Amino acid sequence: MPDQSHVHQTTASVEQRVDAIQAAFDERGMKPGEFIEEFRHLAEEQWVPENGARVVAKAWTDPAFRLRLLANGRDAVTELGLTMPVHHRHLVVLENTPTVHNVICCTLCSCTAFSIIGLPPDWYKDLEYRSRAVRQSRTVLKEMGLDLPAEMEIRVWDTTADTRYMVLPVRPAETTGWSEEKLAKLVTKDSMIGVSRL
Ligand code: FE
């Protein structure tokens, strides 16, 4: 058996490894720089709560749209030119009423209908929120500044990979006659998650 104890093994430098990875991308026609830029653009400029706000304002002002939205959220938002990733198979819209309050969470991780209501806030991903929102929802909402009357029913919805939720807030009473554009400006990401009411 040959003595290999003196075989000299060279270790590639970081630069060489980066070059090798870059070459592998190039060989396959992949462009990570462009992908990252495209992703940044999507996240910062297209996945924004203003999308959901438009949906809410439309539902407040167009009763037929509201019904379509409640029946099939994914199809209804498409009418407004909005899109959802393929794996977000269902968008379930939860309508608040004067006596029912809906709130969403993702007990496993941080899923939201992010192309509609925007990317989840940091607190949404915290174990604290994910674990307590379900069991102590009234207390958690109160801690977050939403003190609901004891008689108001709270419904907590746990997001899954393929079913995403958004809350349809109650339209504020003093907004009669407002345009959709003006109404949309009232709607916040928090109100579509259900940790605030308008
Ligand atoms: Fe998740």
Side-chain angles (χ1 to χ4, degrees), residues 106-112 159 164:
C106 178
T107 54
L108 284 178
C109 43
S110 59
C111 302
T112 57
T159 311
R164 309 287 164 138

Side-chain angles (χ1 to χ4, degrees), residues 103 123 128-129 131-146 195:
V103 58
W123 53 258
E128 170 93 359
Y129 177 76
S131 55
R132 294 180 61 227
V134 177
R135 291 189 306 166
Q136 308 171 348
S137 44
R138 196 171 294 273
T139 308
V140 169
L141 290 173
K142 189 171 177 180
E143 287 167 4
M144 296 179 82
L146 181 61
V195 295

